[in-house]
Amino acid sequence: MQTKKILLVEDNRDVRDLLNRMLGRLGYSTTAASSAEEALVHLETQSYPVLLTDVVLPGLSGTELAERVHASSPATKIILTTGQGYLLSNGLPFEFTLVPKPFHLRHIEAALTSPATTLESRAL
């Protein structure tokens, strides 16, 4: 079985570590970044089938990162996490899955295994 790779972007170290452990339990291999800019450096040399990013990041936001990733790799599954869902009230020009904070392992697993949706459709 091939391990699926995930680019994980979260500026809060505790949340990033928690997500790394959760994803490892689910059989995923992660590359973790603490900012969108750091994630872009990883994307220069590696492709990822999944981007899991917080919306609120220092500097470039998670939605701006997601837009860049979608523009260069439209097949990448995009999962956004946030405790401030109102920031996505205008939606995004592509499908994504929203996992509101606080979340549990089952929310992350559902986001990884379900098809992407638009914000208007549903959030996990």
Side-chain angles (χ1 to χ4, degrees), residues 37-59:
E37 291 82 5
E38 184 181 342
L40 290 170
V41 170
H42 290 296
L43 287 164
E44 290 175 3
T45 59
Q46 184 74 43
S47 64
Y48 298 86
V50 178
L51 169 67
L52 193 160
T53 183
D54 189 11
V55 171
V56 178
L57 296 169

Side-chain angles (χ1 to χ4, degrees), residues 3-9 23 28-32 39 42-43 46-53 65-66 69-70 73-81 97 99 108-109 111-114 116:
T3 303
K4 200 168 199 179
K5 299 182 302 184
I6 296 176
L7 179 55
L8 167 63
V9 188
L23 294 166
Y28 291 87
S29 169
T30 62
T31 298
H42 290 296
L43 287 164
Q46 184 74 43
S47 64
Y48 298 86
V50 178
L51 169 67
L52 193 160
T53 183
L65 172 63
V69 168
H70 178 74
S73 181
T76 300
K77 181 176 184 124
I78 297 181
I79 302 171
L80 302 174
T81 65
T97 302
V99 180
I108 299 300
E109 185 173 31
L112 289 164
T113 58
S114 67

Side-chain angles (χ1 to χ4, degrees), residues 2-3 14 41 65 78 87 92 106 115 122:
Q2 184 179 8
T3 303
D14 293 336
V41 170
L65 172 63
I78 297 181
L87 295 173
L92 292 171
R106 69 180 182 276
R122 69 181 172 103

Side-chain angles (χ1 to χ4, degrees), residues 19-38:
L19 280 166
N20 261 324
R21 288 192 305 275
M22 285 180 165
L23 294 166
R25 278 193 210 153
L26 294 172
Y28 291 87
S29 169
T30 62
T31 298
S34 61
S35 69
E37 291 82 5
E38 184 181 342

